[in-house]
Amino acid sequence: GENVEQHPSTLSVQEGDSAVIKCTYSDSASNYFPWYKQELGKRPQLIIDIRSNVGEKKDQRIAVTLNKTAKHFSLHITETQPEDSAVYFCAAGSAGGTSYGKLTFGQGTILTVHP
Amino acid sequence: GAVVSQHPSWVICKSGTSVKIECRSLDFQATTMFWYRQFPKQSLMLMATSNEGSKATYEQGVEKDKFLINHASLTLSTLTVTSAHPEDSSFYICSPASRTGAYNEQFFGPGTRLTVL
């Protein structure tokens, strides 16, 4: 089955700095890579996702890059703000046609942005 | 986005009792339901996958006789934790998926926090 490794487990940055979280996956059949932000006691919220036919995707301060050959993908947050503080999870799974498959999650990264 | 509800949002029960968690997809037909659990300070782990009208498929290490899943309709799936024990205390989250491709992302329910005393 799929195995997703996520690093670092904790990340502390100053407001305005950039934050980078990296994940690797093992199953070359995975083609869907979402990133989730989870605040304490709440459900994961999708912040950005990328499919395997794309190498990079950007949405304002958030970007994700994917290297299919190396089987790794990264989340980049620029100009961090205190409200970005949360736990971030990467995941890998399949999304074929009109259906989505199960997701395998990374271990999570606790991001703290200091004012 | 999709509207997904879970009930109850939290529950405290005594060891040995059974607890039923409901997950409803309110605005689309969930042909597939994924059930995840998340222990404190850990990641989400898939427990089982169910397709409407079929028996659930359980991940390795998840006891099918302990975690009963029913997916009898396209809008409702239930997870019953039978003979709950303190080690079953966790955050249980459902995630419906649709073959119709109504949405371009996978959604999660708000979760149910189970505490077994």
Side-chain angles (χ1 to χ4, degrees), chain A residues 37-45 86-87 89, chain B residues 9-10 38 40-41 91-93 109-113:
Chain A
K37 176 182 180 182
Q38 188 178 32
E39 297 177 338
L40 192 63
K42 297 188 177 180
R43 78 184 94 184
Q45 295 280 2
V87 182
F89 292 99
Chain B
S9 56
W10 60 270
Q38 185 177 31
K41 297 185 179 180
F91 192 45
Y92 292 86
I93 309 174
T112 297
R113 185 158 306 279

Side-chain angles (χ1 to χ4, degrees), chain A:
Chain A
E2 177 65 275
N3 182 48
V4 178
E5 296 287 333
Q6 183 173 345
H7 298 282
S9 56
T10 60
L11 180 58
S12 183
V13 300
Q14 288 296 127
E15 182 177 3
D17 289 349
S18 294
V20 180
I21 303 171
K22 299 182 179 182
C23 288
T24 60
Y25 62 99
S26 62
D27 190 349
S28 56
S30 291
N31 62 2
Y32 177 61
F33 308 94
W35 286 88
Y36 293 91
K37 176 182 180 182
Q38 188 178 32
E39 297 177 338
L40 192 63
K42 297 188 177 180
R43 78 184 94 184
Q45 295 280 2
L46 180 73
I47 55 172
I48 196 166
D49 57 10
I50 191 167
R51 295 189 183 223
S52 59
N53 59 347
V54 176
E56 185 174 357
K57 185 176 177 181
K58 189 173 181 180
D59 183 4
Q60 298 184 345
R61 297 187 296 111
I62 296 172
V64 57
T65 58
L66 171 66
N67 183 326
K68 285 191 300 181
T69 303
K71 294 195 186 73
H72 66 69
F73 55 113
S74 301
L75 175 72
H76 304 253
I77 305 174
T78 59
E79 300 173 29
T80 53
Q81 301 166 4
E83 49 266 38
D84 293 330
S85 298
V87 182
Y88 290 81
F89 292 99
C90 63
S94 60
T98 57
S99 64
Y100 285 83
K102 64 182 183 180
L103 294 174
T104 301
F105 284 80
Q107 295 84 351
T109 297
I110 301 173
L111 173 64
T112 304
V113 181
H114 299 282

Side-chain angles (χ1 to χ4, degrees), chain B residues 1 10-11 13-16 22 28 32 36 38 41-43 45 60 70-71 77 81 86 92 101 105-106 113-114 117:
Chain B
W10 60 270
V11 56
C13 70
K14 292 182 178 179
S15 185
E22 293 185 348
F28 76 103
T32 300
Y36 293 85
Q38 185 177 31
K41 297 185 179 180
Q42 293 189 28
S43 186
M45 297 291 290
Q60 192 172 11
N70 184 286
H71 191 175
S77 177
V81 183
Y92 292 86
E105 65 175 270
Q106 198 160 336
R113 185 158 306 279
L114 170 64
L117 303 176

Side-chain angles (χ1 to χ4, degrees), chain B residues 29-104:
Chain B
Q29 296 181 328
T31 49
T32 300
M33 187 68 76
F34 301 102
W35 283 95
Y36 293 85
R37 65 181 168 186
Q38 185 177 31
F39 293 111
K41 297 185 179 180
Q42 293 189 28
S43 186
L44 281 79
M45 297 291 290
L46 181 68
M47 297 176 65
T49 304
S50 70
N51 292 305
E52 184 260 338
S54 303
K55 287 186 178 180
T57 302
Y58 291 80
E59 296 297 304
Q60 192 172 11
V62 178
E63 301 173 56
K64 62 179 177 66
D65 294 330
K66 180 173 180 63
F67 298 97
L68 304 179
I69 292 172
N70 184 286
H71 191 175
S73 79
L74 293 172
T75 58
L76 173 64
S77 177
T78 61
L79 167 67
T80 301
V81 183
T82 63
S83 187
H85 287 94
E87 56 265 31
D88 299 322
S89 298
S90 187
F91 192 45
Y92 292 86
I93 309 174
C94 63
S95 177
S98 169
R99 266 190 235 114
T100 64
Y103 297 96
N104 60 358

